[in-house]
Amino acid sequence: FPVTIDERKVLVSYTTPVAVRVGDDLFVTNERFSNTTTKHINLYLREMPSTVVVNRVGQSVIETLSK
């Protein structure tokens, strides 16, 4: 489930941040995690409005944005 930090919404699966939304930009990890985490990400992506731009980035970018 997404957690709000300042103006960012961070999707956390278990204890790992895997996606961060900043306005209409969504940054999603390109690292492969468990099947459950993949399902969490896919469900989150389906909830996004069409105006959101999805960017696949390295996990280090997600870690930096989620702090």
Side-chain angles (χ1 to χ4, degrees):
F1 296 99
V3 180
T4 302
I5 301 173
D6 297 324
E7 295 179 12
R8 298 164 304 206
K9 292 190 188 223
V10 180
L11 177 65
V12 177
S13 182
Y14 299 102
T15 60
T16 305
V18 293
V20 179
R21 182 175 174 187
V22 182
D24 279 344
D25 289 311
L26 177 63
F27 301 91
V28 179
T29 185
N30 59 11
E31 188 170 316
R32 176 79 170 110
F33 287 100
S34 69
N35 287 338
T36 303
T37 297
T38 300
K39 286 179 187 176
H40 291 164
I41 292 169
N42 289 336
L43 284 171
Y44 191 58
L45 288 172
R46 277 187 236 139
E47 295 174 357
M48 290 297 115
S50 61
T51 57
V52 171
V53 177
V54 178
N55 304 283
R56 293 282 179 168
V57 296
Q59 182 62 25
S60 62
V61 174
I62 301 297
E63 303 273 339
T64 300
L65 289 171
S66 66
K67 292 181 182 178

